[in-house]
């Protein structure tokens, strides 16, 4: 059986203990092998990645309601093993045309206002080339060590 957060009600694994289900949470996972950060609103997906060896870093930010927010599309590059997130539907279409897999809407964000989520780009990375953070100090810190600061990607509540 499933609970309201999509997890199995019999799930007593370490992953369920480490990653607590939270309403509107977008979980931030890190792959120590590839350097990729992964963002998901699905607690079961986060727990599955944790079990597969990804590090759980924290709740990155809060998702918004679909009726009041803007969609964030998640795309996957099967050649590089990299995910990309964008609110720009045209960018999602363009990347899909280049061979990326469009995984649909990952979560919703505020249309305007709220907490800023910043995007930085590492031109030297194959996977994990883009990083998203609501921590302005992390954004600035990464931009001082070679990441390209790309500004606000979206807003959260």
């Amino acid at each position: 059986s499933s609970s309201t957060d999509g997890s199995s009600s019999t799930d007593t694994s370490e992953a369920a203990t480490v990653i607590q289900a939270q309403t509107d949470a977008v979980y931030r996972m890190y792959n120590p092998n590839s350097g990729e950060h992964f963002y998901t609103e699905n607690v079961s997906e986060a727990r599955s990645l944790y079990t597969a060896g990804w590090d759980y870093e924290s709740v990155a930010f809060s998702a918004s309601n679909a009726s009041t927010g803007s969609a964030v599309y998640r795309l996957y590059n099967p050649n590089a093993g990299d995910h990309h997130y964008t609110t720009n539907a045209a960018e999602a279409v363009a990347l899909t045309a280049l061979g990326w897999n469009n995984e649909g809407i990952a979560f919703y964000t505020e249309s305007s206002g709220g907490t800023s989520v910043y995007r930085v780009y590492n031109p030297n990375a194959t996977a994990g080339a883009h990083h998203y953070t609501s921590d302005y100090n992390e954004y600035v810190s990464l931009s001082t060590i070679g990441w390209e600061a790309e500004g606000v990607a979206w807003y959260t509540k």
Side-chain angles (χ1 to χ4, degrees):
S1 69
S2 292
S3 64
T4 56
D5 67 7
S7 65
S8 168
S9 61
T10 60
D11 188 0
T12 58
S13 69
E14 179 185 353
T17 302
V18 172
I19 304 172
Q20 299 292 313
Q22 297 179 43
T23 304
D24 298 332
V26 175
Y27 305 95
R28 178 169 137 176
M29 308 300 294
Y30 175 72
N31 184 329
N33 298 310
S34 70
E36 179 184 12
H37 283 90
F38 184 83
Y39 306 84
T40 181
E41 189 177 18
N42 184 317
V43 69
S44 295
E45 186 173 40
R47 289 173 177 165
S48 177
L49 290 171
Y50 179 81
T51 301
W54 290 61
D55 295 335
Y56 170 61
E57 292 189 324
S58 66
V59 170
F61 42 83
S62 296
S64 297
N65 186 302
S67 64
T68 60
S70 300
V72 174
Y73 303 96
R74 184 171 86 191
L75 297 109
Y76 176 72
N77 182 333
N79 298 313
D82 191 27
H83 284 88
H84 182 70
Y85 304 82
T86 183
T87 57
N88 185 327
E91 182 180 25
V93 168
L95 289 173
T96 302
L98 293 173
W100 290 65
N101 297 335
N102 188 333
E103 296 183 342
I105 297 171
F107 46 85
Y108 290 86
T109 66
E110 293 297 301
S111 297
S112 62
T115 301
S116 298
V117 174
Y118 304 95
R119 181 167 114 174
V120 289
Y121 172 72
N122 183 343
N124 301 310
T126 304
H130 283 94
H131 181 65
Y132 308 83
T133 182
S134 59
D135 182 337
Y136 184 74
N137 291 327
E138 181 181 30
Y139 173 72
V140 170
S141 177
L142 290 171
S143 69
T144 63
I145 59 169
W147 293 67
E148 296 174 12
E150 294 186 331
V152 174
W154 56 74
Y155 300 93
T156 68
K157 59 182 178 174

